[in-house]
Amino acid sequence: MYTTLQEIYAQSSESVRATGLTQELASELYGKYVQFINQSVSQRGRLLDVGCGSGWSSYLLSQEGYQVVGIDLNAEAFECPNVPNLTLIPGSAMNLPFEDASFDVVASHQAIEHIPEPQKAIMEMIRVLKPGGILCIVGPNLLSIGHLIKAISIYAWQNRPIKNIFLRSPHMPKHPWGNTLAETLISFPVMLNLIARKLIDSKATFTMREPDINPPFHADNDACYVCNPIDFVKFLPTQNCVVIQNGFYGRLQWTTLIASGTFIAARKLILDRSNDIKVMSN
C-alpha cells in the first residue's frame, strides 16, 4: 500500500499515467501540448520533457525535430518506440540531473499539479534552461470557473447511483472542488475568493491540497497543487523569465480564468553582465 503520492508515481503504473497507447492515441492525448510548444518555439533544439509519463509525449516531440530527453519517476512505465533523437531517464522534477543551461526548451505536460513542491520544480526547470530558451508548462486550471459551473450543472448530476448526486460515498474520488452537488455548490464562493486573493496579491501564492491517493485517479483527485495560470504569471518574472503566452494560442486573454487548462510559455532572460541589465533574445 502506498502512503504518498510520490511513491505511487515512482513505483506504480496503476492508472496514474497514460499507458498502452498507440501513436494515434498518443497524438490525440498530447496533440495540443506538442502544438503549444511548436507555436512557442522559433527553432528546434534540445528539449527536456519533465514528467513524460510513459514517454509518448517525448516521442511525439522527437518526431517534430527536437533532440528530446524525457524524465519521469518510474522508468518501468516507459513504453514508447525507441528512436535516435530520444532519451528517456528516471528522475525527479525537483532535482533534475542536468547541468545549468543544458536545454533550449524545457516543457511539462500535466505534471506540475502532482509535484509536492511546484516552486522548486519550476526553479529547477529554469536552472537547466539556456538563457533565451523557452519554458512551456501545460496542465489543468484547477481554478477554472467554467469547469466548476459544469460540475454544478452537469457532472454532479451524472453521479451514480442517484444518491451520490447529493451524498458522498466512500468509493468516490475527491476532486479538488468536490464531486457531489452540495460539495460543488459550497466550493463556488470559496474558489471565487481564492481567485480574487491571488489576483490582488502582488506575489504568487501556490495553494496546496491533500491529494486523494486512492485509485482510480481521474479529474485530478490526485493533484497536490491547485494548478492555475495566475501563479505562473506572477512567479516566473521573479525567476528571470518573461511570460510570452498565457492561454492556448488563438484564444482571448480573458478566457484564461474560465478555461479548464493552463498553457504558459515563458522566455528565460539573458543577463548582459557588461551593463548589468536583462535583455530579451530575438
Side-chain angles (χ1 to χ4, degrees):
M1 183 68 180
Y2 303 107
T3 58
T4 69
L5 185 64
Q6 294 302 290
E7 284 182 4
I8 295 174
Y9 274 87
Q11 301 174 35
S12 172
S13 60
E14 182 184 16
S15 302
V16 297
R17 52 176 60 83
T19 57
L21 299 179
T22 62
Q23 184 167 343
E24 181 179 2
L25 289 174
S27 296
E28 293 180 8
L29 182 61
Y30 299 110
K32 292 182 73 172
Y33 175 53
V34 174
Q35 180 183 348
F36 184 73
I37 293 171
N38 285 341
Q39 291 178 302
S40 303
V41 176
S42 59
Q43 59 185 12
R44 304 296 186 262
R46 193 164 185 243
L47 183 150
L48 176 63
D49 188 16
V50 179
C52 67
S54 56
W56 278 104
S57 57
S58 301
Y59 169 80
L60 293 174
L61 287 164
S62 74
Q63 300 304 289
E64 295 291 318
Y66 301 96
Q67 295 290 325
V68 182
V69 177
I71 186 169
D72 200 274
L73 289 172
N74 189 354
E76 294 183 4
F78 299 152
E79 64 174 27
C80 67
N82 292 319
V83 290
N85 56 336
L86 171 62
T87 302
L88 300 176
I89 65 170
S92 170
M94 295 184 294
N95 186 23
L96 295 172
F98 307 105
E99 298 286 336
D100 295 356
S102 298
F103 295 91
D104 302 288
V105 183
V106 177
S108 181
H109 178 267
Q110 304 286 355
I112 194 72
E113 68 272 19
H114 305 297
I115 299 175
E117 297 180 69
Q119 290 164 293
K120 183 176 181 180
I122 295 167
M123 292 171 67
E124 273 291 276
M125 294 181 205
I126 296 170
R127 178 185 65 79
V128 302
L129 183 63
K130 294 178 181 179
I134 300 296
L135 172 69
C136 291
I137 297 178
V138 175
N141 178 8
L142 297 180
L143 289 182
S144 167
I145 299 171
H147 182 82
L148 187 55
I149 290 174
K150 286 183 179 179
I152 294 170
S153 60
I154 300 174
Y155 303 145
W157 296 93
Q158 295 173 341
N159 290 338
R160 292 296 182 272
I162 292 176
K163 67 177 182 178
N164 288 155
I165 295 174
F166 308 99
L167 300 173
R168 167 170 292 279
S169 62
H171 73 276
M172 293 177 71
K174 297 178 181 178
H175 185 268
W177 298 104
N179 300 80
T180 68
L181 184 60
E183 289 171 343
T184 53
L185 284 170
I186 292 172
S187 293
F188 194 75
V190 177
M191 177 188 285
L192 291 179
N193 180 63
L194 181 57
I195 292 172
R197 286 192 286 112
K198 284 182 176 291
L199 289 172
I200 294 171
D201 200 328
S202 60
K203 298 180 180 179
T205 52
F206 286 73
T207 303
M208 307 304 291
R209 66 180 290 268
E210 187 68 30
D212 177 5
I213 62 174
N214 298 307
F217 301 113
H218 58 82
D220 289 304
N221 57 302
D222 58 339
C224 58
Y225 160 55
V226 183
C227 181
N228 67 91
I230 302 172
D231 290 346
F232 300 113
V233 169
K234 295 200 172 188
F235 182 68
L236 289 172
T238 69
Q239 302 300 311
N240 197 35
C241 291
V242 58
V243 175
I244 59 175
Q245 181 64 28
N246 177 16
F248 197 72
Y249 288 94
R251 294 182 179 173
L252 298 175
Q253 185 66 43
W254 66 268
T255 63
T256 57
L257 289 178
I258 63 173
S260 60
T262 292
F263 291 85
I264 294 289
R267 186 185 304 276
K268 185 176 181 178
L269 295 172
I270 299 171
L271 183 62
D272 186 341
R273 297 291 182 182
S274 61
N275 297 310
D276 196 29
I277 60 173
K278 295 177 181 178
V279 298
M280 285 281 290
S281 173
N282 293 327

